[in-house]
């Protein structure tokens, strides 16, 4: 049976998903592979594939993963957090919640009841600002800390772009996020339905967290937001259910703050695998660009692609950052060492507020 050492957090992964597809599965792969030395994965809670989804798509693959993980690592599998054994004396327990955003408010309460002292929430944390604020209060009242999985806050390309811009008078930074959906009504319609909270609350939420963390962006401090109409595109498409969904398939905008900061974001669901940041000078000419992955990380990406050729491509480009965020959250759980650079629940609340403010504002500009 998997048990943590004295310098490790006991991790409960809540929401594994299908092998090669689910973000939770990739978190598990990294921890089982020993990439996060302060994290000991001891429990996996997966209600779907241990229940109604066992005989459906991905069910057989999950069962094979479960049996291998039990045999080789002694991890215990459960259908709910209530089934996880009581935390042992002296053990520090971390819940890594990687399921559907809509379930997070309930799962946070169940994680607190399961004895977790730290909870790692994937972005955006909750479907609405009100729910996330209620979760923040619930955790604070219980003396439980929350770390957010905004991995781009610790990304090399973000750090390098910010450092270069700081040394360049009058510079302007643009953060660019891409994904690999096919530019078809079928593929984008499926994406719009599965991510019904909208692009700014999902794919581009990482970039909004950067603006909140590093550029003084808040709803109260936004002076103006301007969409780049030439770049941007908004569509209404039917999802697999037949219901129509309206969202951006790509969006670019510039925010000016009341405190004098200016920063841009571009996001394209069909733009490819790479994210990057650019710095332009006072003439608007690009003077710096840093990619994720860079040349050093591309070697890691190639190895991972060879090992898991059918997995989601974004797992590999962001692999080192997922490790960093989990390791810092686990070390904080186990030792109390500050989780440097990790977004707090307060940043997550303001990020979601900004997303809720920007979405109708930008949609109106693109009509």
């Amino acid at each position: 049976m998997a048990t943590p050492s004295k310098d490790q957090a006991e991790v409960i992964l809540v929401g594994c998903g299908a092998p090669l597809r689910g973000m939770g599965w990739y978190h598990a792969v990294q921890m089982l592979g020993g990439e996060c030395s302060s994290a000991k994965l001891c429990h996996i809670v997966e209600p779907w594939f241990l229940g109604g989804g066992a005989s459906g798509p991905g069910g057989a693959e999950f069962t094979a993963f479960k049996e291998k993980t039990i045999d080789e690592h002694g991890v215990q599998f459960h259908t709910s957090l209530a089934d996880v054994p009581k935390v042992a004396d002296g053990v520090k327990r971390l819940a890594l919640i990687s399921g559907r955003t809509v379930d997070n408010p309930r799962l946070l309460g169940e994680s607190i009841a399961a004895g977790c002292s730290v909870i790692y929430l994937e972005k955006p944390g909750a479907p609405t600002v009100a729910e996330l604020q209620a979760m923040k209060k619930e955790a604070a009242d219980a003396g439980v800390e929350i770390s957010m999985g905004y991995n781009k806050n610790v990304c090399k390309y973000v750090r390098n772009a910010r450092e270069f811009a700081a040394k360049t008078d009058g510079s302007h930074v643009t953060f660019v996020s891409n994904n690999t959906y096919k530019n078809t009504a079928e593929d984008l319609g499926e994406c719009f339905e599965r991510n019904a909270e909208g692009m700014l609350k999902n794919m581009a939420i990482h970039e909004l967290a950067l603006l909140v963390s590093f550029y003084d962006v808040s709803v109260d401090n936004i002076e103006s937001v301007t969409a780049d109409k030439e770049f941007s595109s908004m569509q209404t498409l039917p999802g697999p259910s037949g219901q129509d969904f309206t969202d951006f398939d790509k969006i670019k905008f510039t925010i000016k703050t009341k405190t004098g900061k200016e920063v841009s974001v571009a996001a394209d669901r069909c733009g490819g695998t790479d994210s990057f940041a650019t710095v332009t000078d006072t003439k608007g000419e690009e003077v710096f660009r840093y990619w994720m992955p860079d040349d050093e990380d591309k070697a890691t990406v190639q190895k991972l692609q060879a090992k898991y050729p059918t997995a989601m491509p974004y797992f590999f480009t962001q692999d080192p950052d997922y490790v960093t965020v989990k390791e810092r959250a686990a070390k904080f759980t186990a030792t109390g060492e500050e989780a440097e650079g990790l977004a707090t629940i307060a940043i997550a609340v303001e990020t979601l507020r900004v997303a809720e403010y920007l979405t109708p504002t930008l949609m109106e500009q693109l009509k």
Side-chain angles (χ1 to χ4, degrees), residues 103-366:
D103 296 329
N104 283 0
R106 172 179 58 82
L107 293 173
L108 178 106
E110 292 178 7
S111 298
I112 292 170
C116 297
S117 55
V118 178
I119 295 169
Y120 173 118
L121 279 178
E122 290 285 19
K123 52 80 178 166
T128 66
V129 170
E131 286 169 295
L132 199 56
Q133 286 172 325
M135 291 162 70
K136 181 183 176 211
K137 182 178 187 303
E138 183 179 1
D141 290 348
V144 169
E145 297 283 347
I146 296 179
S147 292
M148 297 298 303
Y150 280 117
N151 57 292
K152 287 186 180 178
N153 274 39
V154 301
C155 267
K156 198 182 338 181
Y157 84 98
V158 171
R159 183 178 67 248
N160 287 341
R162 290 177 55 229
E163 287 174 355
F164 188 94
K167 296 182 287 191
T168 309
D169 288 343
S171 61
H172 182 93
V173 175
T174 301
F175 294 108
V176 180
S177 176
N178 288 310
N179 216 321
T180 54
Y181 293 96
K182 293 173 188 165
N183 195 358
T184 65
E186 184 181 11
D187 218 38
L188 286 172
E190 187 279 331
C191 170
F192 286 8
E193 180 165 331
R194 184 162 38 83
N195 302 295
E197 62 267 34
M199 184 196 256
L200 293 185
K201 279 190 178 182
N202 189 281
M203 175 183 165
I205 197 86
H206 284 284
E207 282 64 39
L208 298 188
L210 295 176
L211 306 196
V212 172
S213 299
F214 304 123
Y215 291 90
D216 296 342
V217 171
S218 66
V219 172
D220 296 336
N221 196 34
I222 292 174
E223 183 178 278
S224 68
V225 55
T226 308
D228 181 332
K229 294 182 182 179
E230 195 175 330
F231 177 94
S232 304
S233 168
M234 180 173 71
Q235 298 189 55
T236 299
L237 296 168
S241 68
Q243 183 183 344
D244 282 348
F245 292 84
T246 300
D247 199 1
F248 310 109
D249 54 285
K250 56 181 181 174
I251 185 75
K252 185 176 182 183
F253 57 90
T254 298
I255 288 178
K256 292 181 180 177
T257 70
K258 294 171 184 173
T259 46
K261 300 264 179 87
E262 188 176 315
V263 63
S264 298
V265 167
D268 186 346
R269 292 196 185 277
C270 308
T273 58
D274 299 340
S275 294
F276 59 93
T278 63
V279 180
T280 50
D281 61 17
T282 51
K283 298 174 189 168
E285 293 177 2
E286 188 176 308
V287 291
F288 180 89
R289 176 180 292 221
Y290 205 93
W291 294 84
M292 177 187 78
D294 61 11
D295 290 339
E296 180 186 350
D297 293 335
K298 276 179 183 170
T300 303
V301 170
Q302 286 169 354
K303 283 181 194 168
L304 291 166
Q305 281 174 333
K307 192 172 183 182
Y308 306 109
T310 59
M312 299 298 282
Y314 71 86
F315 291 163
F316 310 142
T317 54
Q318 300 180 52
D319 176 86
D321 308 310
Y322 293 139
V323 169
T324 298
V325 173
K326 277 197 295 295
E327 173 57 23
R328 289 182 187 175
K331 196 163 193 176
F332 172 63
T333 306
T335 70
E337 182 180 310
E338 184 186 351
E340 183 190 348
L342 264 58
T344 62
I345 186 83
I347 287 173
V349 167
E350 191 56 45
T351 298
L352 207 49
R353 284 188 73 218
V354 169
E356 289 189 357
Y357 170 81
L358 290 179
T359 298
T361 304
L362 292 167
M363 283 186 167
E364 188 62 34
Q365 290 184 26
L366 294 182

